[in-house]
């Protein structure tokens, strides 16, 4: 049972209505924050991901004593306070160095979490790549390659695919996409699994798209790596509860138009209805009554015409 909060004034009422469930939900906002011990590599990675997520992103710079898998209460508090359903937490420890924890919330409660361990040797920042960058607020094209992402059973890689899509997809309130706005590609690939002991690494690359003249009708498309360049190893994961996931995936039926039986529309746009009737007894069918069809009227006309005919005969 979710806790019901009664607003005290008009301002708090508007804030609660803004956070309330809607038929068309607002775009998800991501919160980036760090732990008490966080390496410079992880801080740079948080900054790069924050720049890619803008303007739907918030970033904390202060240290936070948070252990997501042991006690996620602080993450849930920050999520509710800042109205952010996506969380990216950076931390470093001796046992789990250079760790990024991705978390999603539902009703201000943790839904699922996944740990990604960043490789500091292969990591490259956005500033290390020379060249132009894409404009802020554009939606990317996403590419996932690797058999690990196609597993029919939910695992770390299917969860990573779902979370990375939520992280990079941006504002999806509009179904229309301008071709000029497709300026970069987010490519996520996974190595082929060798054995059960070693988990495949995940490689994140971002490429900028440029079109050039080709002398033909279609332009020549070239891609150039824009950064950041990240390689991950999957760590711990927290799967969502089945009942909570079912509630989170529920879609309202308000916008769906109910189909009407036996009602069709022809090519001209006219509505045609079909009515099914039972067997009728035509002997009891009551026809329309008219004064001209009454038998009493016919008798009166015969009686009135009889004296006129006798007078003619006498003459």
């Amino acid at each position: 049972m979710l806790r019901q909060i009664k607003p005290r004034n008009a301002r708090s009422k508007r804030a609660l209505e803004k956070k309330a469930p809607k038929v068309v939900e607002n775009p998800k906002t991501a919160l980036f924050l760090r732990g008490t011990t966080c390496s410079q590599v992880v801080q740079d990675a948080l900054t790069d991901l924050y720049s890619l997520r803008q303007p739907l992103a918030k970033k904390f710079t202060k240290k936070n004593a948070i252990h997501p898998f042991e006690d996620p209460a602080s993450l849930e508090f920050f999520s509710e306070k800042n109205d952010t359903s996506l969380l990216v937490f950076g931390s470093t420890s001796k046992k789990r160095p250079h760790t990024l924890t991705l978390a999603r919330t539902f009703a201000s409660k943790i839904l699922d979490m996944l740990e990604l361990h960043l490789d500091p040797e292969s990591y490259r920042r956005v500033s290390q790549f020379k060249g132009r960058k894409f404009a802020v607020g554009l939606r990317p094209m996403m590419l996932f390659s690797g058999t690990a992402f196609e597993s029919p059973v939910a695992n770390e890689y299917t969860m990573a695919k779902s979370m990375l899509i939520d992280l990079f997809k941006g504002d999806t309130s509009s179904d229309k996409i301008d071709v000029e706005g497709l300026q970069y590609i987010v490519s996520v690939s996974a190595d082929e699994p060798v054995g059960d002991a070693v988990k495949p690494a995940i490689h994140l690359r971002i490429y900028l798209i440029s079109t050039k003249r080709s002398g033909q009708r279609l332009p020549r498309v070239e891609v150039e790596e824009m950064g950041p360049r990240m390689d991950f190893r999957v760590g711990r994961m927290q799967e969502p509860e089945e009942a909570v996931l079912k509630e989170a995936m529920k879609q309202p039926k308000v916008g769906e138009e109910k189909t009407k039986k036996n009602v069709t529309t022809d090519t001209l746009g006219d509505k045609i209805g079909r009515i099914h009737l039972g067997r009728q007894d035509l002997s009891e069918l009551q026809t329309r009554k008219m004064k001209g069809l009454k038998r009493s009227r016919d008798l009166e006309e015969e009686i009135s015409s009889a004296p006129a005919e006798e007078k003619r005969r006498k003459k």
Side-chain angles (χ1 to χ4, degrees), residues 48-62:
D48 289 341
L49 293 175
Y50 169 72
S51 63
L52 293 173
R53 180 66 186 180
Q54 283 184 342
L56 301 173
K58 297 180 181 180
K59 188 172 183 292
F60 290 172
T61 56
K62 292 184 178 181

Side-chain angles (χ1 to χ4, degrees), residues 37-102:
T37 56
C38 186
S39 63
Q40 187 62 39
V41 174
V42 175
Q43 294 183 41
D44 295 340
L46 289 174
T47 303
D48 289 341
L49 293 175
Y50 169 72
S51 63
L52 293 173
R53 180 66 186 180
Q54 283 184 342
L56 301 173
K58 297 180 181 180
K59 188 172 183 292
F60 290 172
T61 56
K62 292 184 178 181
K63 299 178 181 181
N64 301 278
I66 299 174
H67 301 281
F69 285 88
E70 285 75 18
D71 185 15
S74 298
L75 289 179
E76 294 173 352
F77 171 77
F78 286 136
S79 173
E80 182 178 8
K81 199 72 174 177
N82 297 275
D83 193 16
T84 54
S85 55
L86 288 174
L87 298 161
V88 183
F89 178 75
S91 62
T92 299
S93 64
K94 186 175 181 180
K95 189 176 181 180
R96 297 180 179 88
H98 315 296
T99 302
L100 291 175
T101 303
L102 306 180

Side-chain angles (χ1 to χ4, degrees), residues 26 29 42 49 84 96 104 110 120 165 174 178 227 275 277 281 292:
N26 299 330
T29 305
V42 175
L49 293 175
T84 54
R96 297 180 179 88
R104 289 184 291 195
I110 291 294
I165 289 175
S174 177
D178 188 4
I275 301 174
L277 298 176
D281 188 3

Side-chain angles (χ1 to χ4, degrees), residues 225-262:
E225 191 171 359
M226 183 191 67
R229 182 189 299 173
M230 300 181 183
D231 295 333
F232 299 106
R233 291 182 299 102
V234 294
R236 295 178 295 176
M237 65 176 293
Q238 177 181 322
E239 293 182 340
E241 297 180 5
E242 187 176 353
V244 179
L245 181 62
K246 185 178 179 180
E247 185 70 20
M249 298 293 289
K250 187 184 294 183
Q251 294 184 355
K253 298 181 180 180
V254 179
E256 297 180 1
E257 185 178 354
K258 293 183 178 179
T259 57
K260 297 180 180 179
K261 292 183 178 180
N262 303 322

